């Protein structure tokens, strides 16, 4: 049996638990479960629109800057390349609180009404904290569990997707139906959680345990139970009005469920600790919590030539699966194809999610149903991430089913959700919320797993965040330039038909099927085009995914095990 951890095998069990890698995974779950505030924009966007007198184009511009901040994480990736994860998490916590706190002050009129670009800056800063949380916690976990990356990505991104429903329950328990206070909650809660676990999240050099996948399945079952509970609560809440006390009970149950993975952590660390104590002559293994720099070596003429020729090798990348440089990956045709498909797929589903509040209002759904849509998107967002992570990993290892093909199928499915919105079949928005939430969630673990598999893990922090940049680009084109423009055009047409003239500072509203119909027909067409385009990547990478893509990691593990065995022998001698 292989043991991992700091030099605490003979120490107390409590110390082993707190410093073990499974507790780090648990801490990452909690950080991720509060890191999805950007998906709750539909709950408080109406407050921003009414209190500041915005039209739909301006509101969608604000939504674009939210998506821009949430997904442009190049800075967090570069910082993570040269600093420990706790630095990245600290910066993220500060940005989160500042950005959303300023929005709350504005909406509640505690400060004078800022200019539009101020609001765009505030929401961009607050949302950008999500990229710091992802980089600090999620990227660290992927590096600690390289052979289970699909599972890790699915679980952690799943908790991000579930965070909207989690925070909604907590918000109703604390603040009732005061949606303006929701902005304050998503300002302080994620920041507090990140600060609590700053020193827990770190890079660990640990050999893979034989039952590693089994432990992740235990976490999966707990998270599925949490998602199921939230789904039941949403259905019950829809049937009648919940009191503050009843919301308090449901929120308490959610918090308890969030801490259930800790029981799995304690059990696993106890087994490892007990086994460690039984070894006759154990050699403690140390966790490497920071990158070990090699000793300085004299630079030869050949090495200088290699440094100079670095830019020349930009268009001469290594084989797929090896470690690309950042420039080699960015200029790779594989990356460009993946990037374009993501612009179409994520941009379209994110546009639907950001406009759920206005879509529900224009189609005549009550306010409580709009809250239901946001929670449904959150839960199915989670299921999409988990299913895509676990199923794609199983299909890949057992059947050599390429992840890019699963991405293509996800894009095709999302077209159904967009068309349901466009043609407004009776109560179809409930089904559309489920489909769009699932497809939006499924795209993320597939995207990030594909990037890590094709381009390697050496510069994964930066490449991971580059892949996210496609989201705000798609959101701007489809949300601001298409959806917002067409909505305002129809709203202005309705206002003129009533013989009214819009006053300065008056919000612009549209009612009826035509408000979003043309926009979502266009969005469905764009998404289908992205699916067709992604087939090119499937064809280009088919031989790579038919090979053993995890072979090099197993070889590294065998080398590490042999080195430890040699060290134990020398110690015994």
């Amino acid at each position: 049996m292989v043991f991992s951890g700091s030099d605490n095998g003979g120490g107390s069990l409590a110390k082993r638990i707190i410093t073990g890698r499974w507790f780090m995974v648990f801490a990452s779950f909690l950080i991720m479960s509060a890191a999805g505030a950007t998906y709750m924009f539909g709950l408080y966007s109406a407050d921003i629109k009414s209190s500041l007198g915005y039209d739909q184009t301006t509101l969608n511009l604000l939504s674009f800057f939210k998506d821009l901040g949430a997904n442009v994480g190049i800075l967090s990736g570069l910082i993570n390349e040269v600093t420990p994860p706790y630095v990245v998490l600290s910066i993220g916590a500060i940005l989160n609180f500042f950005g959303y706190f300023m929005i709350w002050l504005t909406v509640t009129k505690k400060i004078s009404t800022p200019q539009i670009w101020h609001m765009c800056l505030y929401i961009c800063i607050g949302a950008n904290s999500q990229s710091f949380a992802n980089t600090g916690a999620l990227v660290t976990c992927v590096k600690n569990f390289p052979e289970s990356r699909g599972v890790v990505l699915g679980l952690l991104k799943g908790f991000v997707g579930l965070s909207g429903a989690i925070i909604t329950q907590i918000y109703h328990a604390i603040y009732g139906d005061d949606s303006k206070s929701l902005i304050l909650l998503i300002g302080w809660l994620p920041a507090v959680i990140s600060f609590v676990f700053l020193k827990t999240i770190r890079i660990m050099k640990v050999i893979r345990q034989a039952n590693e996948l089994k432990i992740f399945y235990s976490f999966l079952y707990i998270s599925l139970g949490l998602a199921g509970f939230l789904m039941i609560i949403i259905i019950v809440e829809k049937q009648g009005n919940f009191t503050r006390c009843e919301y308090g009970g449901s929120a308490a149950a959610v918090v308890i469920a969030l801490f259930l993975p800790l029981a799995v952590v304690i059990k696993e660390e106890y087994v490892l600790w007990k086994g460690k104590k039984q070894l006759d002559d154990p050699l403690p293994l140390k966790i490497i919590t920071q990158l070990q720099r090699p000793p300085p070596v004299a630079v030869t003429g050949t090495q200088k030539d290699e440094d100079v020729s670095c830019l020349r090798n930009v268009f001469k990348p290594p084989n797929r699966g090896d470690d690309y440089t950042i420039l080699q990956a960015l200029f790779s045709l594989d990356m460009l194809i993946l990037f374009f498909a993501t612009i179409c797929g994520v941009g379209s589903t994110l546009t639907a999610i950001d406009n759920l509040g206005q879509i529900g209002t224009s189609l005549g759904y009550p306010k409580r149903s709009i809250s239901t849509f946001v929670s449904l998107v959150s839960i199915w967002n989670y299921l999409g991430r988990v299913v895509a992570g676990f199923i794609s990993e199983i299909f890949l290892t057992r059947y050599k089913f390429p992840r890019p093909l699963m991405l293509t199928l996800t894009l095709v499915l999302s077209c159904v959700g967009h068309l349901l919105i466009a043609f407004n079949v009776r109560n179809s928005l409930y089904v559309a919320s489920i489909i769009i939430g699932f497809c939006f969630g499924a795209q993320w673990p597939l995207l990030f797993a594909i990037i890590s598999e094709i381009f390697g893990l050496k510069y994964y922090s930066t490449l991971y965040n580059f892949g996210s940049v496609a989201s705000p680009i798609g959101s701007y084109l489809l949300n601001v330039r298409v959806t917002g423009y067409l909505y305002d055009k129809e709203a202005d047409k309705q206002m003129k038909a009533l013989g009214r003239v819009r006053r300065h500072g008056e919000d612009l509203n549209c009612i009826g099927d035509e408000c979003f119909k043309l926009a979502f027909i266009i969005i469905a067409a764009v998404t289908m085009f992205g699916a067709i385009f992604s087939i090119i990547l499937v064809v280009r990478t088919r031989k790579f995914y038919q090979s053993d893509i995890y072979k090099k990691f197993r070889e590294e593990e065998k080398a590490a095990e042999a080195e430890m065995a040699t060290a134990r022998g020398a110690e015994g001698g």
Side-chain angles (χ1 to χ4, degrees):
M1 182 183 291
V2 179
F3 295 92
S4 62
S6 57
D7 188 8
N8 57 10
S12 67
L13 175 61
K15 181 182 177 184
R16 180 178 186 93
I17 292 171
I18 297 299
T19 59
R21 64 172 180 163
W22 293 114
F23 187 78
M24 187 213 67
V25 174
F26 165 71
S28 299
F29 289 160
L30 293 185
I31 291 173
M32 293 293 99
S33 66
T38 53
Y39 305 133
M40 303 182 70
F41 184 73
L43 278 181
Y44 61 85
S45 59
D47 290 313
I48 295 177
K49 186 177 182 179
S50 60
S51 64
L52 301 181
Y54 290 165
D55 57 20
Q56 191 64 28
T57 300
T58 304
L59 188 67
N60 284 2
L61 180 65
L62 200 65
S63 175
F64 161 72
F65 276 94
K66 169 187 69 68
D67 298 332
L68 182 70
N71 294 285
V72 179
I74 301 296
L75 178 61
S76 63
L78 293 173
I79 292 175
N80 198 54
E81 298 285 1
V82 296
T83 64
Y86 70 82
V87 175
V88 177
L89 291 173
S90 298
I91 296 174
I94 294 171
L95 293 177
N96 185 88
F97 180 75
F98 173 78
Y100 286 110
F101 185 65
M102 293 302 296
I103 295 172
W104 176 75
L105 291 177
T106 300
V107 171
T108 55
K109 303 296 185 180
K110 296 185 182 299
I111 59 174
S112 59
T113 302
Q115 297 182 28
I116 293 175
W117 73 267
H118 286 153
M119 288 295 291
C120 292
L121 179 63
Y122 295 153
I123 201 165
C124 186
I125 290 173
N128 192 236
S129 65
Q130 181 175 314
S131 70
F132 281 84
N134 282 331
T135 303
L138 188 145
V139 172
T140 301
C141 280
V142 170
K143 290 185 175 182
N144 288 339
F145 300 92
E147 288 188 62
S148 301
R149 69 186 72 181
V151 173
V152 171
L153 283 166
L155 267 176
L156 290 177
K157 296 300 287 185
F159 273 99
V160 175
L162 207 57
S163 63
I166 292 171
I167 295 177
T168 297
Q169 295 299 317
I170 296 174
Y171 140 67
H172 282 304
I174 299 176
Y175 299 111
D177 291 326
D178 182 8
S179 54
K180 292 181 180 179
S181 295
L182 172 63
I183 304 173
L184 179 62
L185 177 66
I186 61 181
W188 66 260
L189 183 61
V192 169
I193 295 175
S194 291
F195 276 122
V196 168
F197 294 109
L198 280 184
K199 303 298 288 186
T200 304
I201 309 298
R202 62 205 187 280
I203 299 292
M204 303 179 181
K205 186 173 182 179
V206 184
I207 295 177
R208 190 174 193 265
Q209 292 176 215
N211 66 335
E212 183 176 289
L213 192 58
K214 183 179 178 182
I215 299 171
F216 279 119
Y217 272 108
S218 298
F219 292 142
L220 170 64
Y221 300 144
I222 293 172
S223 64
L224 286 173
L226 173 60
F229 173 77
L230 286 167
M231 178 66 80
I232 293 171
I233 286 295
I234 290 171
I235 294 173
V236 173
E237 289 172 358
K238 188 177 182 299
Q239 301 302 317
N241 295 322
F242 257 38
T243 64
R244 179 81 71 88
C245 182
E246 289 169 331
Y247 273 120
S250 65
V254 167
V255 172
I256 292 172
L258 281 173
F259 278 83
L260 282 180
L262 187 58
V264 178
V265 172
I266 294 173
K267 177 185 175 183
E268 182 59 28
E269 291 295 351
Y270 173 75
V271 171
L272 295 175
W273 176 75
K274 188 176 180 181
K276 185 82 170 178
K277 300 282 284 186
Q278 292 174 352
L279 290 178
D280 295 327
D281 188 18
L283 180 67
L285 302 181
K286 294 184 178 180
I287 287 176
I288 298 176
T289 58
Q290 59 184 6
L291 295 175
Q292 301 298 311
R293 300 191 180 277
V297 179
V299 179
T300 63
T302 304
Q303 289 173 315
K304 289 181 179 179
D305 291 340
E306 290 177 353
D307 293 337
V308 173
S309 64
C310 177
L311 292 177
R312 298 177 187 173
N313 292 330
V314 168
F315 299 102
K316 296 179 181 179
N319 296 326
R320 292 186 181 94
D322 293 336
D323 290 323
Y324 282 52
T325 65
I326 294 175
L327 291 179
Q328 284 174 338
L330 296 187
F331 287 99
S332 166
L333 183 58
D334 291 341
M335 178 65 87
L336 295 178
I337 295 171
L338 184 61
F339 192 77
F340 181 79
T342 305
I343 288 176
C344 297
V346 174
S348 63
T349 49
L350 190 57
T351 296
I353 291 171
D354 285 345
N355 285 281
L356 267 181
Q358 280 68 45
I359 293 171
T361 300
S362 67
L363 297 180
Y365 289 88
K367 187 174 182 180
R368 185 168 293 276
S369 292
I370 294 173
S371 179
T372 300
F373 298 147
V374 173
S375 294
L376 283 173
V377 165
S378 179
I379 291 172
W380 285 89
N381 183 2
Y382 153 79
L383 289 173
R385 294 168 190 242
V386 169
V387 169
F390 276 82
I391 297 299
S392 67
E393 192 75 25
I394 293 171
F395 277 34
L396 176 63
T397 54
R398 292 185 182 178
Y399 312 113
K400 305 296 183 183
F401 191 92
R403 279 193 229 265
L405 181 55
M406 190 162 287
L407 178 63
T408 302
L409 297 176
T410 302
L411 294 180
V412 173
L413 177 60
S414 66
C415 291
V416 178
H418 299 315
L419 292 175
L420 285 174
I421 294 175
F423 294 103
N424 187 29
V425 181
R426 181 174 175 81
N427 290 323
S428 62
L429 198 52
Y430 292 100
V431 180
S433 299
I434 291 172
I435 294 175
I436 289 171
F438 181 88
C439 292
F440 177 75
Q443 290 176 73
W444 288 115
L446 292 174
L447 168 67
F448 297 138
I450 292 169
I451 289 175
S452 71
E453 287 161 352
I454 295 178
F455 307 111
L457 291 174
K458 186 174 183 180
Y459 297 105
Y460 185 54
S461 294
T462 301
L463 297 179
Y464 165 93
N465 284 291
F466 176 77
S468 302
V469 175
S471 177
I473 294 176
S475 176
Y476 177 76
L477 295 174
L478 297 175
N479 198 0
V480 179
R481 307 305 300 175
V482 175
T483 306
Y485 169 77
L486 292 176
Y487 178 96
D488 284 341
K489 183 178 179 181
E490 180 63 25
D492 188 60
K493 180 180 176 182
Q494 292 181 3
M495 183 173 283
K496 289 179 179 178
L498 295 173
R500 294 177 54 206
V501 177
R502 186 188 177 201
R503 297 189 303 273
H504 177 71
E506 181 184 4
D507 57 330
L508 193 58
N509 293 310
C510 176
I511 302 297
D513 296 355
E514 297 299 321
C515 301
F516 289 97
K517 184 175 183 178
L518 179 58
F520 276 88
I521 291 175
I522 295 172
I523 286 171
V526 169
T527 305
M528 182 57 70
F529 181 71
I532 296 171
F533 202 75
S534 68
I535 295 176
I536 301 174
L537 184 62
V538 176
V539 174
R540 286 177 55 86
T541 59
R542 67 187 186 282
K543 291 183 179 179
F544 169 69
Y545 278 102
Q546 288 171 358
S547 65
D548 187 358
I549 65 174
Y550 291 154
K551 181 179 178 181
K552 68 175 184 177
F553 295 106
R554 288 195 294 272
E555 291 175 348
E556 290 173 1
E557 287 173 8
K558 289 179 181 178
E561 288 176 348
E563 183 180 344
M564 286 193 301
T566 303
R568 283 198 178 97
E571 185 76 12

